[in-house]
Amino acid sequence: MSAGWNSSTRAPDAEDIASCVACGLCLPACPTFRLTGRETASPRGRIAAMRAVDEGRGEVDGSFRTMMDECLACRACETACPSGVPFGRMVEAARAQAEPGRAPRGRLGRRAGLVWLLPRRRAVMTAAWVAGLGAATRLDRALPRRHGTARPPVRLRELARPLPRAQGDQGPAAAVLAGCVVSVAYRPLLRATMRLVAASGHRARMTAPGGCCGALAMHHGHPEAAQTMARQRIAEVDGADVVVVNAAGCSAHMKTYGELLADDPRWAERAARVAARTRDVLELDLAAREGSVGAVAMHDACHHLNGQGIREQPRALLRAAGGEVRELADGGRCCGAAGLYGVTQPELSARLRRLKAEAIAATGAPVVAVANPGCAMQITAGLAEIGAAVRLAHPVELAG
Amino acid sequence: MLLRPPSAADRFRALLDDEWVIDAPLERLLYGRDGSIAEGEAGLVVLPETRQEVSACVRLAAELGMAVVPRGSGTGLAGGAVPLEGALVLALSRMTRIVEIDEDVPCAWVEPGVLNLDLSEAVRHLGLHYAPDPSSQAACSIGGNVSTNAGGPHCLKYGVTSEHVLGLEVVLAAGEVLALGGPAPDAPGYDLRGLVVGSEGTVGVVTEICVRLTPNPPAVYTALCDFASVRAAGEFVSAVIAEGVVPAAMEMMDEVMIAAVEQFVGAGLPLDAAAVVLVEADGSPADVARQAAVVQRVGRAHGARMIRVAADEEERALLWKARKSAFGAVARVAPNYYLHDCVVPRTRLVEVLEEIGRIAERHDLVIMNVFHAGDGNLHPLIAFDRRNADQVARVAAAGRDIIEACVAVGGVLSGEHGIGLEKRDYMPLTFNEDDLRAQACARDALDPAGRFNPHKVLPGAARCGEAVLEAGHLPEGTWL
Ligand SMILES: Cc1cc2nc3c(=O)[nH]c(=O)nc-3n(C[C@H](O)[C@H](O)[C@H](O)COP(=O)(O)OP(=O)(O)OC[C@H]3O[C@@H](n4cnc5c(N)ncnc54)[C@H](O)[C@@H]3O)c2cc1C
Ligand code: SF4
Ligand code: SF4
């Protein structure tokens, strides 16, 4: 590690930085560049900033932090880049660098969530109950609230219904990640996933509800917390033939467990094994229930499209279930959810949210397929904002 | 730096919202480069959104004595948009409106920051497109295309940018707004439009452009021909054209390039070929069929091992994606590239390519080739790592050898990327003192104070009246 980096945490790799030839072919793919026209909000610019720090010509200062915070980590630039620049892991490392110097106000709250709460699965479930109670008693309305802010739809009635922890008794052993947000706010999806994975010939076993994969912490500059959560999940799922994940951000992240723990001799091997066995649920050979899904707008999660190359699978699944897939005319631009982006960059996030909601509404479909809880919250808020009555569902819920 | 008085940023903030005046050191640094290997330093960056704002910024720059460097998308390959000595960078990336489309001419008025491919997509439903298609078309701006007189694969048949620019609006150094030409054929008076096209930001800021739109061809034939030697591929290209066929495009890629690109696109390119030629013919179905037959026959005669014809639009797009990602994919070989852009007579193509191969060997470097073969526009790309000083010295020497080899067979310095900073000091190789003086006078006529993009294009500080044949030295702080 060289020059301007803080040696106490990870930093963007010099070879990764060198692989960018500054051709600019990624610029049009980048939502934040498109919205602002600023090089400081472009992938090439962000890499140039990393290069400057790496070469000691710049430092991790307020400008650096803003550039990295404005990034959605949607990785659309990776898909566009002919040089194969691994931007996703670079920006994660850059954010880890940017974290320590942050002003304490916003930082402490975030830190509490990412580093204290998420690695404690029981605390996550308790928090869910508190949130559910708040919603049920309408106490949450007393809290300060930004207009249109996306939040997890936690419902007491759902929380009280037990989840099926085991389903199916034949075929390969599939460990289904319960996850944090999904197991508190999208429980019907979890049920549908268990049902469909089992129906597709697996012995499906669910991990403990509330257990977070660590993606959120990793995206927001806390690699150590992410490592802790990775070890917890690995301990739970190692041994399964396949690890099934129904949230795009989580499947993308769990596939990087090998890299994340490469320097930990006790865990590296298991991490690599789990990563190699991780599949997004949409990558499985799924037996869709024959049905009449009808017109459905297709939203691609960035972490499916970019990095995992998952595009055709959900479409094929929906078609098999009688769906008529309608594409959005926005070229798959990020919806602006991007983890905590709505909190850290409310303005850019709101603009992207609105564009996405309008693109969905323009298809005229009564339902939109969304395969990531972050996107789902954002899109729900966006559709409400423009007053469009479009229902959301994961492809697995529609086809299962 | 030197040229910037302390309050410049504040003065510009009185003209534009804070977000659009970039002053922080790390942020300015990002505007120090374009797609080339030249690097300078921006004193300040402004991002105006309207012609009035451009004009006001240019006027203020004059008052503050700052040089102005216009910038589009910064994909230029000659260092044209690289600021020197703390100049003001005026970025046009917020001026992205398509102002008007006239289907009858057909033409469109666009702001300079509109991206080339975005324009074509915006008129696709009308059965039209914007013909000049640089390989960077997804990212480069129309303003940048006009200023470099960009070419592209399809310019073999359709002509380069200058043939598609009908009218221009330009802001000059004192902030005055000039309207040049328009959709009417043959405007009276001097063709100043022609002077601005290709001027690389040295005479003013282009703030609006009227471009010709081209009807989409009814039929297209795209084929990838694969050869066991570069010589055979080169001769094939000349032979097709000698048959009286002008394909829409004829692009060649050599072995090393094929390997790098294939890693990115996975288009099934033949990894064992010494060279491939991507040929495209378009027009009426009958005409296309005739051209395709010629390509097939001549291809066989020159030993094409395989001629892969794109079966549908999807396969065609994939083959073009392979071609158009070539420069970017170089990083899979080495982190930097130094690129030349000479044009040689088509009949000397093979000879020059072989010489380039020898130059690579002599300097112990990897040189990759991907280029517009139909018009003899070479793009030898020297792959290197700028952290290796010894290699950098060899790259510079090889670059000079390549240029000399091209000029020796009657070639010119640049086919389309422009002169900018990188090729500037080679200008005297192809222009004599009188030529250079005339060019300097033309430039001074529009920008008498030398406010716009100084140090670019003309060697030394060539100004009207003083001919400078000695290759000038690049200013301090420039990295080449
Ligand atoms: C991968 C790759 C492939 C390429 N392929 C081709 C190709 O096939 N053909 C080709 O011709 N080029 C090619 N280029 C080079 C480059 O894309 C073109 O030169 C393009 O026209 C530059 O546009 P830009 O918007 O990026 O301009 P910039 O790089 O920002 O600027 C280029 C020059 O124009 C000036 N300028 C920009 N906008 C204005 C304005 N509004 N008013 C006045 N001056 C202005 C700048 O000062 C500078 O001198 C390629 C580049 C890359 C990276
Ligand atoms: S990230 Fe890739 S596409 Fe973007 S400038 Fe760098 S090399 Fe080019
Ligand atoms: S990850 Fe997304 S927002 Fe960030 S630089 Fe890449 S394209 Fe832009």
Side-chain angles (χ1 to χ4, degrees), chain A residues 14-15 18-28 33-41 44-46 48-49 51-53 55 57-64 66-67 70 78-85, chain B residues 19-20 22 24-31 33-36 39 47 71 73-75 91 93-94 115 118 135-139 260 264 321 324-332 334-337 385-387:
Chain A
E15 288 308 311
S19 65
C20 169
V21 293
C23 65
L25 294 186
C26 52
L27 299 185
F33 176 75
R34 286 291 197 161
L35 288 186
T36 64
R38 279 191 273 113
E39 190 73 28
T40 54
R44 179 177 64 181
R46 291 177 176 121
R51 178 182 287 125
V53 175
E55 292 175 353
R57 292 183 297 136
E59 50 187 285
V60 178
D61 57 7
S63 301
F64 186 90
T66 305
M67 285 183 225
E70 281 176 350
E78 262 183 48
T79 301
C81 172
S83 292
V85 173
Chain B
E19 186 182 359
W20 312 120
I22 295 182
L26 187 66
E27 298 174 27
R28 276 190 279 123
L29 202 131
L30 311 191
Y31 286 88
R33 275 189 80 178
D34 59 3
S36 74
E39 183 154 4
L47 293 97
R71 177 185 173 100
S73 303
T75 67
S93 45
R94 292 179 64 220
L115 305 187
D118 285 354
S135 303
S136 52
Q137 75 185 126
F264 171 55
K321 186 175 181 193
K324 295 198 168 179
S325 14
F327 297 159
V330 175
R332 296 178 189 266
N336 304 93
Y337 60 81
D385 186 337
R386 75 182 169 108
R387 295 166 296 186

Side-chain angles (χ1 to χ4, degrees), chain B residues 80-266:
Chain B
V82 171
L84 302 171
E85 302 176 320
L88 174 77
V89 171
L90 195 146
L92 295 141
S93 45
R94 292 179 64 220
M95 296 184 62
T96 53
R97 270 187 328 132
I98 295 176
V99 181
E100 195 188 319
I101 296 171
D102 183 339
E103 286 180 65
D104 296 331
V105 177
C107 69
W109 282 97
V110 303
E111 291 186 339
V114 170
L115 305 187
N116 178 307
L117 190 58
D118 285 354
L119 175 58
S120 284
E121 307 248 297
V123 296
R124 191 209 301 264
H125 67 286
L126 302 171
L128 299 168
H129 70 289
Y130 176 62
D133 61 336
S135 303
S136 52
Q137 75 185 126
C140 60
S141 70
I142 301 280
N145 291 170
V146 168
S147 304
T148 54
N149 193 8
H154 289 80
C155 294
L156 178 59
K157 173 172 174 183
Y158 292 96
V160 296
T161 302
S162 62
E163 294 181 43
H164 300 267
V165 175
L166 302 175
L168 285 173
E169 180 188 274
V170 190
V171 172
L172 298 185
E176 65 270 48
V177 182
L178 223 62
L180 309 172
D186 192 25
Y190 294 109
D191 180 12
L192 296 181
R193 183 200 55 87
L195 174 58
V196 174
V197 175
S199 63
E200 302 188 50
T202 62
V203 298
V205 185
V206 175
T207 47
E208 208 167 290
I209 306 125
C210 177
V211 292
R212 184 194 307 286
L213 297 173
T214 304
N216 296 342
V220 183
Y221 160 89
T222 309
L224 188 78
C225 312
D226 140 6
F227 295 91
S229 77
V230 171
R231 174 167 283 273
E235 287 171 354
F236 160 72
V237 170
S238 293
V240 169
I241 295 176
E243 292 259 352
V245 169
V246 181
M250 279 188 119
E251 301 285 309
M252 188 156 149
M253 241 192 280
D254 73 8
E255 201 175 352
V256 199
M257 200 74 241
I258 297 171
V261 165
E262 179 61 14
Q263 270 188 52
F264 171 55
V265 288

Side-chain angles (χ1 to χ4, degrees), chain A residues 135-398:
Chain A
T137 56
R138 310 207 152 177
L139 266 177
D140 60 341
R141 303 211 172 161
L143 296 171
R145 170 166 204 173
R146 253 182 255 130
H147 178 68
T149 306
R151 48 174 59 200
V154 182
R155 284 187 196 84
L156 284 186
R157 197 154 42 90
E158 270 297 333
L159 278 177
R161 264 184 79 193
L163 291 165
R165 298 291 297 274
Q167 221 165 331
D169 43 24
Q170 267 163 34
V176 174
L177 179 79
C180 54
V181 178
V182 172
S183 65
V184 305
Y186 292 96
R187 293 163 72 97
L189 164 61
L190 214 38
R191 295 194 182 92
T193 307
M194 287 296 284
R195 205 163 50 233
L196 189 58
V197 171
S200 308
H202 296 87
R203 277 179 293 138
R205 300 292 177 268
M206 188 188 295
T207 63
C212 174
C213 69
L216 213 51
M218 192 64 196
H219 293 325
H220 292 284
H222 293 288
E224 294 78 16
Q227 285 173 332
T228 304
M229 289 180 254
R231 293 190 192 98
Q232 295 170 353
R233 299 295 79 74
I234 292 167
E236 277 184 294
V237 303
D238 194 10
D241 298 311
V242 52
V243 179
V244 180
V245 186
N246 59 13
C250 310
S251 56
H253 178 64
M254 288 182 74
K255 288 179 181 178
T256 69
Y257 274 1
E259 279 172 47
L260 185 62
L261 293 173
D263 297 331
D264 180 341
R266 295 217 332 242
W267 288 85
E269 198 190 317
R270 296 176 77 186
R273 182 168 53 231
V274 166
R277 292 182 184 177
T278 297
R279 296 285 176 278
D280 190 281
V281 65
L282 294 171
E283 291 177 296
L284 300 183
D285 195 4
L286 295 174
R289 182 173 54 190
E290 269 186 48
S292 49
V293 168
V296 49
M298 187 71 220
H299 163 75
D300 290 295
C302 297
H303 287 112
H304 272 162
L305 222 44
N306 310 309
Q308 297 198 84
I310 297 176
R311 186 174 190 285
E312 283 316 311
Q313 298 90 326
R315 289 167 174 73
L317 182 68
L318 289 171
R319 282 195 199 100
E324 178 229 321
V325 177
R326 297 198 183 158
E327 300 294 342
L328 308 190
D330 65 359
R333 188 200 308 106
C334 178
C335 65
L340 301 178
Y341 200 76
V343 180
T344 60
Q345 304 293 325
E347 278 168 41
L348 286 172
S349 178
R351 287 171 69 187
L352 291 167
R353 180 169 65 225
R354 189 174 195 100
L355 289 170
K356 183 59 79 181
E358 285 166 355
I360 291 170
T363 65
V367 51
V368 54
V370 179
N372 193 47
C375 307
M377 288 185 255
Q378 174 85 340
I379 289 173
T380 305
L383 289 169
E385 235 165 34
I386 63 166
V390 181
R391 189 167 66 86
L392 272 82
H394 191 291
V396 158
E397 292 175 280
L398 291 168

